[in-house]
Structure formats: C-alpha cells, structure tokens
Amino acid sequence: MINTERLLVLYGSQTFTAQEIAERIWRTTKVLGFKGPVQAMDDYSISKLIHEEFALFVCSTTGQGDEPDNMKRFWKFLLRKNLPSNSLVKLKFGVIGLGDSSYTKFNFVAKKLHKRLIQLGATPILDLGLCDYQHDLGHDAILSPWLKDFLSIIKTYFPNIPTDTIKSSFVPRWKVSLIKTENHENGATFNEDIYFRNGRKDHFLDTSYFEVEKNIRTTDETHFQDVRLITLKVCEDKLLDYKPGDVFNIRPRNSKEDVDDLFDIFDTHNLDIKPYYRLKVEQCHDGK
Ligand SMILES: Cc1cc2nc3c(=O)[nH]c(=O)nc-3n(C[C@H](O)[C@H](O)[C@H](O)COP(=O)(O)O)c2cc1C
C-alpha cells in the first residue's frame, strides 16, 4: 500500500481544451484526497519526473500532428537519446489524448507520448485513451469511461482513498487574494500591458499587437446567434508569416474606458478595490 497519495496531472494544450479537462480531472482527484499539482508540461520541472510514482497526462494534437506549444520543451527533453531506458521505472501513468479523426495524424502526440514513456521504463496502468472531436458526444464519449477506469485502477494502489464518498465541494486551482498597497505610482503603470511590459513577451511564439479594424455582425439581428466578421490590423510595421496548420491565439485586452467604468462601479458600491491594489494569485495545490 502506498501512503503518499500523490498524483501528478500534466497537460499539453494549444487552445485550452486539454487544460480545462486536466483541471477538471485534477479537481476530482483532489476531492478524492490526492495531492499534487496540475500543470502545463513545460511548467513542470521535468528533472523531478524520475521521482514521480503516478501521473496522468492530457494532451492534444495541433498543427499537422504537432505538440502544443506548452509541452514542446518537455517533449524535446523526453526525446533525448542519452536518457537511460530505465529513467522512469517508478512511474505508473495514463495518457488521454484529444484529437480529431478528420486529421490524418489523429492524436499523434498522445500516441507518441505514451510510447516514449514506456520506452523510458514507465508502466501504463491502462490503455491510451484517444478522444475524437468528430464523435457525436465529442471528447466525453471516450474521456468519461477512460477516467472511470483510471480512477478505479488507481484506487487499487490507494485503498484508503474514499472513492465512494465523493464530497461535492468545489476545489479551485487558484487562490486569489487582494493586497491593499498604498498608491505610490500615481496611476502611471496601471495601463501597462501585463504581457508586453518592458519589451517582455510571453512564451507564445511571435507575438504581435493588433487593432480591431472592423467588427461586423454577419447574422441577422433577429437570429439568436451573433456571428461576427472581425478584421484585425497589425499595429507594428511587420509582415505576418504563417503556414497551413498554424494556430492563431488572440488575447483581447480591456479598453481603458471599460477598466475605468469597472472601478467606478466598485466605488459606487463601496467596494474597497482600488486600481493600485495588487492581486496575488497562487496555485492551491500542496505538491511541488
Ligand atoms: C489548427 C488545428 C490543427 C489540428 N491538428 C490536429 C491533428 O493533426 N491531429 C488531431 O488528431 N487533431 C488535430 N486537431 C484537433 C485538436 O487536437 C482538438 O480540437 C483538441 O480538442 C484541441 O485541444 P486543445 O484546445 O487543448 O489544443 C487540430 C485542431 C486545430 C485547431
């Protein structure tokens, strides 16, 4: 019997579906009493993987059979030729892949990951799960029974986990607290872009600023769906370089007017939230 109920949940996700599913699974495991984080593969310190005993991987396939951006480093590391074939002997794992069978390289990433983990000595506790977006019930058609199997197998290693008495409490991934600082900055930095501040760029490749040039409703006003044709204009003097299969992520920003309105609403309702207060965001999990 194993006493440290640690289960690592890692994801590789391009457009957040795998991340959302990984977080949902992680919440279920928390309610059951498991410890350990949910993280993007590239945010996880991979040198620790040799010490892990149980892990669940959720990964999608993007491009033409490519890994999502937030698991590229992790995957490159796993592919190193000098890794001994017993590197991951301690690890027991499950891989659930998200894909779309209309692509020729259906669920390529999950298949490759599953195979490589075995090559490195890890033991799958159940078959690879291959979710298909084309299924009438979407990913859930495969995901739900796969997860049920995964949990019932993992329970055999942890008989103390009370799977029958699942509490219904919500377990958040993030803990957010307000730090009421003094206003030293005279508002100067409040409108700075958190993604691009001081020339910094986030980990997404080749980020660019765009302005909305046109935003036209294409469906009739009387129709219940509001479908838009949005035209974006590159703000910088640069040409966009892209090829078929590339993914374009848009991160909208709130306008200054909207932000000002929000703080006016706080003020009107006597809510003590000022623009210069800071938010501290921490992961709630207890495992590192
Ligand atoms: C641009 C693009 C390329 C894709 N390429 C593949 C592919 O090669 N093989 C596959 O099985 N699914 C492919 N898919 C389907 C995605 O894997 C599927 O929609 C998945 O749910 C996306 O998960 P994510 O949001 O976590 O990235 C692709 C989807 C998009 C949008």
Side-chain angles (χ1 to χ4, degrees), residues 13-18 60-61 63 65 98 100 103 105-107 139:
S13 177
Q14 192 66 30
T15 52
F16 305 104
T17 321
S60 63
T61 297
L98 306 190
D100 182 331
Y103 289 86
K105 295 186 173 173
F106 174 55
N107 257 312
H139 293 321

Side-chain angles (χ1 to χ4, degrees), residues 46-47 49-50 77-91 115-122:
I46 195 167
S47 54
L49 197 60
I50 51 170
F77 186 96
L78 281 192
L79 286 183
R80 284 189 187 180
K81 289 209 168 64
N82 60 354
L83 293 178
S85 60
N86 62 354
S87 311
L88 300 178
V89 276
K90 276 189 175 180
L91 184 69
K115 200 167 154 196
R116 185 63 182 150
L117 290 170
I118 295 171
Q119 280 175 352
L120 294 172

Side-chain angles (χ1 to χ4, degrees), residues 171-182:
V171 183
R173 179 177 177 190
W174 307 103
K175 180 177 158 220
V176 181
S177 37
L178 197 62
I179 303 175
K180 298 187 177 179
T181 47
E182 294 295 315

Side-chain angles (χ1 to χ4, degrees), residues 273-284:
I273 304 177
K274 304 281 187 278
Y276 49 85
Y277 287 176
R278 299 196 174 264
L279 287 178
K280 189 175 176 192
V281 183
E282 299 161 281
Q283 292 229 48
C284 294

Side-chain angles (χ1 to χ4, degrees), residues 207-221:
T207 36
S208 299
Y209 273 122
F210 292 88
E211 257 173 32
V212 177
E213 196 173 51
K214 285 185 207 147
N215 180 356
I216 302 163
R217 184 176 170 131
T218 56
T219 40
D220 194 85
E221 287 295 334

Side-chain angles (χ1 to χ4, degrees), residues 12-236:
S13 177
Q14 192 66 30
T15 52
F16 305 104
T17 321
Q19 174 173 346
E20 193 272 322
I21 289 174
E23 289 178 354
R24 196 159 19 113
I25 294 175
W26 176 81
R27 272 187 216 108
T28 307
T29 66
K30 284 277 129 172
V31 171
L32 293 175
F34 283 101
K35 300 184 174 72
V38 55
Q39 282 178 309
M41 290 186 216
D42 280 358
D43 291 339
Y44 173 72
S45 174
I46 195 167
S47 54
K48 292 186 186 150
L49 197 60
I50 51 170
H51 306 296
E52 301 285 356
E53 288 187 82
F54 292 92
L56 190 158
F57 297 85
V58 188
C59 62
S60 63
T61 297
T62 189
Q64 303 294 336
D66 302 325
E67 310 79 47
D69 286 342
N70 61 8
M71 68 172 277
K72 279 197 188 312
R73 261 185 292 130
F74 182 94
W75 179 238
K76 208 169 154 198
F77 186 96
L78 281 192
L79 286 183
R80 284 189 187 180
K81 289 209 168 64
N82 60 354
L83 293 178
S85 60
N86 62 354
S87 311
L88 300 178
V89 276
K90 276 189 175 180
L91 184 69
K92 290 170 222 35
F93 72 96
V95 174
I96 181 90
L98 306 190
D100 182 331
S101 58
S102 65
Y103 289 86
T104 36
K105 295 186 173 173
F106 174 55
N107 257 312
F108 228 52
V109 174
K111 289 175 186 167
K112 287 192 295 186
L113 178 65
H114 193 260
K115 200 167 154 196
R116 185 63 182 150
L117 290 170
I118 295 171
Q119 280 175 352
L120 294 172
T123 310
I125 62 168
L126 79 173
D127 281 347
L128 169 66
L130 297 178
C131 301
D132 184 1
Y133 187 68
Q134 292 299 320
H135 194 287
D136 285 347
L137 300 176
H139 293 321
D140 277 336
I142 297 293
L143 176 66
S144 302
W146 185 91
L147 184 60
K148 206 164 156 243
D149 288 351
F150 180 86
L151 290 175
S152 64
I153 295 169
I154 209 147
K155 191 179 170 345
T156 62
Y157 294 93
F158 301 97
N160 291 342
I161 290 284
T163 33
D164 315 323
T165 54
I166 296 183
K167 289 171 269 163
S168 60
S169 56
F170 177 78
V171 183
R173 179 177 177 190
W174 307 103
K175 180 177 158 220
V176 181
S177 37
L178 197 62
I179 303 175
K180 298 187 177 179
T181 47
E182 294 295 315
N183 185 8
H184 295 305
E185 309 191 21
N186 298 324
T189 57
F190 301 146
N191 296 315
E192 275 186 5
D193 190 304
I194 58 165
Y195 300 121
F196 290 86
R197 185 166 38 192
N198 303 330
R200 201 177 58 192
K201 292 195 166 188
D202 73 5
H203 64 275
F204 283 102
L205 304 170
D206 200 15
T207 36
S208 299
Y209 273 122
F210 292 88
E211 257 173 32
V212 177
E213 196 173 51
K214 285 185 207 147
N215 180 356
I216 302 163
R217 184 176 170 131
T218 56
T219 40
D220 194 85
E221 287 295 334
T222 54
H223 184 62
F224 74 101
Q225 286 165 319
D226 181 354
V227 179
R228 300 264 160 174
L229 173 66
I230 298 176
T231 314
L232 300 171
K233 194 172 90 189
V234 193
C235 298
E236 299 149 330

